[in-house]
Amino acid sequence: MQITTEKLLERYAAGERDFSGLELQAERPSDRYSILESYYVMVFGRKPSRRKIMDANELLQRYSAGERNFTGINLKGANISGSNPMEDIFVFDVDLSEINLSGSDLTGAILAGANLSGANFSNANLSRSDLSHCNLTNVNLSYVNLSYACLDVAKFWNTDLSNTQLYCASIIQTQLAKTLVLGAKNFRTVDWTGTKMTNIVLDDGTIINCDHDW
């Protein structure tokens, strides 16, 4: 016996649980999702969360329109720098200040030279990403995966790197000041060449106030 998704959900909502031998009628995926979404709203009072796959152009357009909360989006491999960092590294002017990208997948994304002041990247995946020359003032990078990421010549000030995965990251020719690093993982695997650290406290109590090439 054939039955529509809508009918099945109606009978399920009425308490029925045995649907042995039934066959769902063919429906367009979009129709089926719409029905399932409506049922989810009925049961849980809200729409189900979906990780949005977004390209750089859409993000910048929506940001320019005033949107700031992009929690959980997928920007894997996106180039948000607005330029080719290998050709023109000093002309970036992308402003993403106060943006919320917490929990997002930014693996391999290029944000070189962007103004990210006040941004929230907590729990995001930024492995192998390019944040060189970025303004990271007041940025939340706690619990972020920065493995193999490039943060060369970035501006750190009141930046939160607590509990961040820093395995083999590159943070050269910059300055860490008022930066929280407690709980940061693989701190000593980072390339700190030419970087100056001011009042940086490690988990073992070590306080760093000098130029360090680890």
Side-chain angles (χ1 to χ4, degrees), residues 3 8-9 11 23-24 46 51 61 64 83 93 98 100 110-111 113 116 123 135 145 158 164 187-188 194 207 212:
I3 188 173
L8 183 145
L9 293 176
R11 289 166 59 175
E23 179 183 349
L24 283 177
R46 60 181 175 83
R51 173 159 287 194
Q61 288 172 2
S64 297
S83 182
D93 57 1
E98 306 294 335
N100 183 356
I110 301 172
L111 293 93
L116 299 171
N123 294 288
N135 181 354
N145 183 358
N158 286 331
T164 296
F187 191 85
R188 297 177 186 275
I207 299 176
H212 254 272

Side-chain angles (χ1 to χ4, degrees), residues 136 141 151 154-159 161 171 174-177 179:
L136 300 176
L141 288 165
L151 296 96
K155 181 180 180 180
F156 290 86
W157 183 264
N158 286 331
T159 308
L161 287 169
I171 308 178
T174 188
Q175 180 174 356
L176 267 67
T179 297

Side-chain angles (χ1 to χ4, degrees), residues 15-169:
E16 189 173 347
R17 293 295 182 270
D18 187 358
F19 298 95
S20 303
L22 290 182
E23 179 183 349
L24 283 177
Q25 289 182 3
E27 297 164 321
R28 291 180 302 175
S30 57
D31 292 340
R32 184 172 298 178
Y33 185 84
S34 178
I35 294 168
L36 291 171
E37 184 177 66
S38 298
Y39 181 73
Y40 193 97
V41 171
M42 180 179 67
V43 175
F44 297 103
R46 60 181 175 83
K47 288 186 177 182
S49 60
R50 286 181 285 175
R51 173 159 287 194
K52 169 68 175 176
I53 299 176
M54 187 184 300
D55 62 21
N57 289 333
E58 182 182 351
L59 181 139
L60 294 174
Q61 288 172 2
R62 289 167 60 174
Y63 181 92
S64 297
E67 190 171 348
R68 292 296 181 271
N69 191 350
F70 298 92
T71 303
I73 66 170
N74 185 344
L75 279 166
K76 187 173 182 178
N79 185 343
I80 308 173
S81 68
S83 182
N84 187 332
M86 299 302 293
E87 297 175 358
D88 204 355
I89 200 161
F90 296 108
V91 299
F92 304 147
D93 57 1
V94 176
D95 186 353
L96 293 173
S97 55
E98 306 294 335
I99 194 169
N100 183 356
L101 287 163
S102 58
S104 298
D105 185 356
L106 292 135
T107 307
I110 301 172
L111 293 93
N115 177 12
L116 299 171
S117 58
N120 182 5
F121 288 95
S122 59
N123 294 288
N125 186 356
L126 281 157
S127 59
R128 302 185 185 278
S129 61
D130 185 352
L131 284 82
S132 59
H133 294 263
C134 282
N135 181 354
L136 300 176
T137 302
N138 297 317
V139 170
N140 185 353
L141 288 165
S142 61
Y143 293 94
V144 168
N145 183 358
L146 284 170
S147 300
Y148 296 99
C150 177
L151 296 96
D152 299 345
V153 204
K155 181 180 180 180
F156 290 86
W157 183 264
N158 286 331
T159 308
D160 187 354
L161 287 169
S162 59
N163 299 291
T164 296
Q165 174 57 260
L166 292 169
Y167 183 72
C168 288

